[in-house]
Amino acid sequence: MRPEVFKMVDRVVAIDPGLETIQCEGLVPEESSIFEGHFPGHPIMPGVLLIEAMAQTTGWLILARNRFEKMPFLATVKEAKLRTFVVPGQMLDLHSKILHEGSGFVVAQTKALIEGKPVCNAELVFRVLAWPEGRMKDVVMKVAERVEFPVADFANA
Amino acid sequence: MSSTFDAVANIIAETCDIPRDTITPESHAIDDLGIDSLDFLDIAFAIDKAFGIKLPLEQWTQEVNDGKATTEQYFVLKNLCARIDELVAAKTA
């Protein structure tokens, strides 16, 4: 994980064949410029970045569901709970489950665990839109390879 | 129609914190009730769940953008409810 550049997911661990759930993981690094300010001498993962990690996890699941034909953009964060401090060196076990896929939007329930204990959860809503002009899709496809997303199974050529 | 309207009006009132008695069948969700596209996602989610349908928001938006339909056709509540009834009927047919 490199939170300073929003690389929150290290690896896609599993996507269920029905495309209802996903599991990812991300190791909170020992060193990051994020911790210079949050907080000096007392590094804690910012809650907004925990939400970002859960959003990215859900994003991979939505991309799998539409086979990278459209891009999910976070639109609403509901009922977010940040249950405990997350500190450098801890492994986030990230899970997301689809609650509803509407026309142009997806609602998901997502959570992160550390050693089996919940540290945060939220209900997230995404708009699912056509890819913007430019190279965004290419960039996301490259990131997919980095996080071991099963491209061959869940992406159109 | 009336039961559909009551259900939709209740959803809007609850989701967007709009007084229920200000919501009428003639209300335009956007122009009269001030509901923006983000809040409408919550409404669509609740309607989809309540009626077991999938409001075709992308298709409606495309039609409006292409000038093939007006927002009134989809977002005046009596018209929205008529669309919902059509979708429910199509599902059960």
Side-chain angles (χ1 to χ4, degrees):
Chain A
M1 181 190 299
R2 290 186 60 206
E4 66 278 10
V5 291
F6 275 58
K7 290 182 177 176
M8 307 306 298
V9 169
D10 292 331
R11 190 168 75 93
V12 175
V13 177
I15 300 175
D16 89 277
L19 296 172
E20 295 296 323
T21 64
I22 189 172
Q23 180 184 6
C24 296
E25 64 182 18
L27 177 63
V28 180
E30 294 290 347
E31 304 277 341
S32 169
S33 57
I34 291 288
F35 300 134
E36 292 173 15
H38 198 280
F39 294 96
H42 191 71
I44 298 171
M45 271 293 283
V48 290
L49 290 180
L50 295 175
I51 292 168
E52 177 65 21
M54 294 190 289
Q56 290 186 16
T57 297
T58 310
W60 289 119
L61 180 56
I62 297 170
L63 285 164
R65 288 171 73 91
N66 70 46
R67 303 190 68 83
F68 284 71
E69 294 295 320
K70 293 183 175 181
M71 175 68 188
F73 293 90
L74 181 60
T76 304
V77 178
K78 293 181 183 177
E79 301 291 334
K81 291 187 177 175
L82 308 168
R83 297 176 180 279
T84 186
F85 292 146
V86 175
V87 299
Q90 291 186 310
M91 177 67 84
L92 287 176
D93 176 21
L94 297 151
H95 296 260
S96 192
K97 177 183 178 184
I98 301 295
L99 295 180
H100 180 69
E101 181 164 12
S103 173
F105 70 98
V106 169
V107 185
Q109 184 66 47
T110 181
K111 64 184 177 183
L113 313 174
I114 292 177
E115 295 178 350
K117 293 182 180 171
V119 294
C120 55
N121 57 276
E123 183 178 311
L124 305 177
V125 182
F126 294 78
R127 292 182 195 271
V128 184
L129 304 174
W131 288 96
E133 293 288 326
R135 62 191 195 97
M136 185 176 191
K137 184 175 181 181
D138 292 339
V139 170
V140 171
M141 292 300 292
K142 280 200 170 64
V143 177
E145 291 176 15
R146 177 181 62 78
V147 299
E148 301 175 33
F149 180 94
V151 173
D153 295 333
F154 298 118
N156 291 336
Chain B
M1 173 69 180
S2 63
S3 65
T4 302
F5 172 75
D6 284 339
V8 169
N10 289 339
I11 285 170
I12 291 173
E14 193 171 314
T15 304
C16 298
D17 201 19
I18 294 172
R20 172 64 181 83
D21 57 7
T22 65
I23 303 170
T24 74
E26 303 299 326
S27 300
H28 190 302
I30 303 164
D31 297 343
D32 296 328
L33 301 179
I35 298 168
D36 67 15
S37 64
L38 186 59
D39 283 335
F40 204 83
L41 293 187
D42 286 338
I43 293 168
F45 177 31
I47 289 174
D48 285 0
K49 273 200 306 186
F51 292 94
I53 58 173
K54 186 168 168 176
L55 286 182
L57 295 181
E58 291 175 299
Q59 178 192 329
W60 293 356
T61 303
Q62 191 65 50
E63 289 176 11
V64 169
N65 290 343
D66 292 345
K68 294 176 181 171
T70 64
T71 60
E72 286 76 10
Q73 286 174 253
Y74 298 124
F75 296 107
V76 168
L77 295 192
K78 65 180 181 185
N79 297 336
L80 175 63
C81 291
R83 304 288 176 188
I84 292 169
D85 288 340
E86 289 170 6
L87 290 163
V88 171
K91 186 188 69 168
T92 55

